[in-house]
Amino acid sequence: MAFAPAARHLLRARDLADARYFEPLDVADLARVAGLSRAHFSREFRRAFGEPPHSYLLTRRLERAAALLRSTDRSVLEICLSVGLQSVGSFTTSFTRTYGVSPTAYRARFPPAAENALVPGCVVRAYARPQRRTFREDNGRAQA
Amino acid sequence: MITIANAQLWVNDQDEALSFYTKKLGMEVRTDVTLPEMGDFRWLTVGPAGQPDVAIVLMAIPGPPVMDAETAEQVRALMAKGFAGTIFLVTDDCRASYEELRARGVEFVEAPEDRPYGIDSGFRDPSGNHIRLTQVRELATA
């Protein structure tokens, strides 16, 4: 069997956190991928990457949540669930601790997502064009 | 300099497409906004995490007055036949990506095969769009 350095297994766990953060992953899942006991894994991960796995996974989720607050009009609850967190209460707490403001206040600091959406002019022309309603067209019958 | 910003795919259902491109392919949502002043038009884009300047627009097939019913039906028919659009993705390990995506339920139409230019495979998104997934062979630089 090929020998892989221990850090390779830790990297596999970190890659999993980066790739599948939106699933209900926890440290136990990461430890399993690394093939280590949870306590041992946390220690080794911290030694290799400078922060504990729990914090790595959480900050990955918070970074995505912040991006979604800026670039989408989804609700805070939807965003919380879409980055793999289950409780909007603890999401708000961790977000506020990390960014210094609540998710709602963070969003308010930026222009509304719709203003930054680079919807091309051709699409705007097509979709924003008002539909003319006349009596005859609404009836679907020509009265000539 | 001209570069590529977005490429568009028609999709039957934006939520279904969103789930496919993010949860199965692992892409990120770039923009998701619904614009009431445009008849609740939803501008939905996704892109690979490591490539922030390129996105795929997941575009719902509009009804009248943007697109007449007959044209919409033609687009749907082309999609169902797999001729409405193709996106070419590259990966540094085609066989590994193939196994990973297949395990998540991605419907491959071509398993990885050796080609002169590398290892190539293909799958479909839920709307029938053809997506290539290629590991491009490193060309000898002169």
Side-chain angles (χ1 to χ4, degrees):
Chain A
M1 230 171 80
F3 170 79
R8 181 68 190 88
H9 298 297
L10 296 172
L11 182 58
R12 195 164 288 133
R14 200 183 71 161
D15 287 344
L16 180 69
D18 279 329
R20 311 304 292 171
Y21 62 90
F22 47 80
E23 290 180 358
L25 278 184
D26 58 19
V27 175
D29 296 314
L30 301 183
R32 201 168 308 120
V33 168
L36 298 173
S37 77
R38 204 190 137 142
H40 185 49
F41 168 69
S42 289
R43 242 185 348 261
E44 291 299 313
F45 189 99
R46 182 175 198 148
R47 184 154 40 202
F49 302 117
E51 64 177 319
H54 165 262
S55 149
Y56 186 85
L57 181 59
L58 181 65
T59 49
R60 170 76 173 135
R61 287 172 162 154
L62 293 177
E63 174 272 315
R64 284 309 303 156
L68 292 172
L69 286 165
R70 295 191 307 267
S71 64
T72 75
D73 53 15
R74 297 180 187 173
S75 71
V76 171
L77 172 63
E78 270 181 283
I79 289 175
C80 162
L81 297 176
S82 67
V83 298
L85 295 169
Q86 313 296 312
S87 147
V88 76
S90 61
F91 165 63
T92 303
T93 307
S94 340
F95 190 96
T96 307
R97 197 177 297 143
T98 306
Y99 287 88
V101 284
S102 71
T104 315
Y106 177 85
R107 169 174 268 168
R109 284 179 173 181
F110 297 91
E115 270 179 36
N116 282 334
L118 303 173
V119 182
C122 61
V123 171
V124 175
R125 272 201 305 281
Y127 285 80
R129 192 160 61 97
Q131 191 165 11
R132 264 191 98 206
R133 292 180 189 282
T134 67
F135 178 71
R136 281 193 304 180
E137 282 169 11
D138 281 350
N139 250 344
R141 280 191 298 263
Q143 300 195 339
Chain B
M1 187 177 62
I2 295 175
T3 57
I4 293 179
N6 300 319
Q8 179 195 297
L9 285 177
W10 292 116
V11 299
N12 281 322
D13 179 310
Q14 286 180 310
D15 286 324
E16 177 188 55
L18 179 64
S19 163
F20 180 83
Y21 282 92
T22 56
K23 298 192 168 137
K24 289 193 176 172
L25 294 197
M27 290 190 182
E28 286 178 351
V29 179
R30 291 286 158 69
T31 316
D32 183 359
V33 295
T34 302
L35 303 164
E37 70 276 21
M38 287 167 59
D40 282 340
F41 169 79
R42 185 177 178 195
W43 179 249
L44 176 63
T45 68
V46 296
Q51 201 176 22
D53 55 343
V54 181
I56 300 173
V57 184
L58 302 175
M59 191 74 106
I61 300 170
V66 177
M67 192 184 275
D68 63 279
E70 192 191 333
T71 308
E73 206 38 61
Q74 287 170 337
V75 173
R76 267 188 211 97
L78 285 175
M79 282 167 72
K81 290 189 247 180
F83 290 121
T86 303
I87 294 277
F88 298 84
L89 305 176
V90 289
T91 167
D92 46 17
D93 189 339
C94 187
R95 292 179 210 281
S97 300
Y98 166 76
E99 292 302 339
E100 193 184 335
L101 296 185
R102 215 165 53 125
R104 289 190 213 130
V106 173
E107 193 185 329
F108 271 82
V109 291
E110 283 173 54
E113 278 179 31
D114 288 312
R115 303 274 174 211
Y117 51 83
I119 305 173
D120 203 5
S121 65
F123 58 89
R124 295 205 179 279
D125 79 359
S127 299
N129 293 308
H130 188 180
I131 317 293
R132 301 302 305 177
L133 181 62
T134 311
Q135 176 182 345
V136 180
R137 189 167 63 90
E138 279 179 38
L139 298 172
T141 44

